[in-house]
Amino acid sequence: MVLEKINDLAIEDKESIMSTEIGSSSSNQRLSIEPDEDGAEITCFSEEVRDVTLHFQIIRLQKQIYAWIGCNSAKIGHIYAAAFTRPSNSVSITSILGGSSDNTGSSIARRLVMKTGLNIVLACNIPKNSPMLEADAELILVKKLISLGYTRAKPQLPPTP
Amino acid sequence: MEAPSTRFPVSHKKLSLNIKGNETTLVICGYDDHILVMVSQIGSMGTILHARKEEGISLLPTFNVSVIFGKRDEPMLVACARQLIEQISSSGSTRPLVLSLGLKDHSAETLRGIVASVIENRIW
């Protein structure tokens, strides 16, 4: 795919964007990917799950990934940042926006980091008390991140002297 | 061409710029209740700010701008967010702004360039 040059503009509804429609009996996806070697790679798709439409937006930067999960709406929801942190390489997570008593999405962010090894900022508007929906959304997102080739190995601890 | 009902609900624009010799990626996303602007020169989101217009009885609008993740000692980043939320508000949109700035330099020239580019490619 020919990459965008500097100062080129990419708009979602322009013909230059590659789009693929995937249909099946249990899900309905529209996948749109805008590749860019040096900048951001944006992937947008939707899927019908449990009578609900889940929207996914993945923006991949070189060292970090921003992901948004929308449940039937296009509100941004709560935002969390999660990553492996020194010294023990455990996953740390913090709420950036929203997420006081309702921390729906925080566990998704934590497990995304554990399963993919990536530095993640996750925005999620899945309503609270919907554990099955959270689990489905997480599964779909992890599969997509793996299929896009974004995952990397968990950082190794330095050898103890 | 796809039917309007299958259109992705979040619109976005992505562009690459060169600001003072630094390759800069700019992504602008329009959610129902927020506008997300992501500016990156370092391969990550960097400092994240939140800016909103405050409801009040005064004729003159007031804005609340705060760093919600990252550097809290860079006033130019806050100024950049303030300029953008003022622009968004004066255009008639009531949506708050989430702005991420992952920059190599925090000079006024860089931030002016970013503000100009965002306004030129606005989606509100």
Side-chain angles (χ1 to χ4, degrees):
Chain A
M1 179 109 181
V2 176
L3 300 174
E4 296 288 335
K5 300 295 182 183
I6 295 173
N7 289 329
D8 281 352
L9 182 66
I11 303 175
E12 187 185 36
D13 57 355
K14 271 197 169 177
E15 293 175 2
S16 58
I17 295 172
M18 179 179 77
S19 68
T20 308
E21 278 198 52
I22 305 169
S24 71
S25 57
S26 60
S27 70
N28 188 10
Q29 293 190 35
R30 174 195 164 269
L31 179 63
S32 154
I33 302 177
E34 298 171 38
D36 185 339
E37 266 185 11
D38 301 325
E41 191 166 317
I42 303 179
T43 305
C44 302
F45 63 102
S46 303
E47 195 154 334
E48 299 288 330
V49 173
R50 297 176 192 270
D51 298 326
V52 148
T53 304
L54 288 178
H55 305 290
F56 297 86
Q57 181 187 48
I58 302 169
I59 300 177
R60 184 216 193 187
L61 302 170
Q62 284 167 1
K63 301 178 193 171
Q64 192 171 44
I65 286 190
Y66 166 83
W68 171 73
I69 305 174
C71 176
N72 278 341
S73 83
K75 292 187 175 179
I76 202 170
H78 300 152
I79 307 179
Y80 305 92
F84 285 110
T85 49
R86 294 173 291 196
S88 58
N89 265 341
S90 55
V91 179
S92 297
I93 179 167
T94 185
S95 168
I96 291 180
L97 196 66
S100 49
S101 59
D102 174 13
N103 60 358
T104 307
S106 62
S107 50
I108 298 179
R110 181 184 298 276
R111 282 191 294 274
L112 273 183
V113 174
M114 287 167 59
K115 291 179 184 178
T116 63
L118 300 163
N119 196 334
I120 292 270
V121 172
L122 175 74
C124 173
N125 72 8
I126 293 176
K128 58 182 176 181
N129 301 324
S130 312
M132 297 308 295
L133 205 51
E134 277 189 74
D136 289 336
E138 179 187 324
L139 191 63
I140 294 168
L141 192 52
V142 169
K143 278 187 181 172
K144 179 56 67 181
L145 290 172
I146 292 172
S147 74
L148 288 169
Y150 292 166
T151 56
R152 63 177 184 222
K154 178 182 171 180
Q156 298 297 319
L157 285 170
T160 52
Chain B
M1 179 164 310
E2 64 214 27
S5 59
T6 60
R7 187 180 178 83
F8 197 73
V10 176
S11 60
H12 69 268
K13 279 189 186 180
K14 181 189 74 170
L15 57 155
S16 296
L17 312 164
N18 189 305
I19 299 178
K20 284 184 73 177
N22 293 315
E23 298 297 328
T24 309
T25 300
L26 180 62
V27 178
I28 307 170
C29 299
Y31 298 93
D32 279 352
D33 60 343
H34 278 83
I35 293 166
L36 170 70
V37 175
M38 195 182 296
V39 185
S40 179
Q41 296 176 338
I42 58 174
S44 66
M45 290 177 71
T47 299
I48 304 177
L49 302 99
H50 186 253
R52 66 173 200 273
K53 182 180 174 182
E54 291 193 322
E55 298 302 322
I57 56 173
S58 166
L59 286 175
L60 295 173
T62 53
F63 303 97
N64 184 303
V65 182
S66 59
V67 175
I68 53 177
F69 189 78
K71 290 179 184 286
R72 295 172 195 274
D73 55 355
E74 286 282 353
M76 294 305 294
L77 303 184
V78 177
C80 178
R82 182 173 291 276
Q83 284 213 324
L84 285 175
I85 189 64
E86 286 182 5
Q87 185 65 32
I88 292 169
S89 177
S90 67
S91 305
S93 175
T94 56
R95 285 180 285 178
L97 168 71
V98 175
L99 172 67
S100 85
L101 295 169
L103 305 175
K104 288 182 179 172
D105 88 278
H106 297 149
S107 65
E109 188 183 338
T110 295
L111 290 158
R112 250 183 264 125
I114 290 168
V115 170
S117 301
V118 173
I119 291 171
E120 191 181 322
N121 297 287
R122 61 197 211 179
I123 57 172
W124 56 85

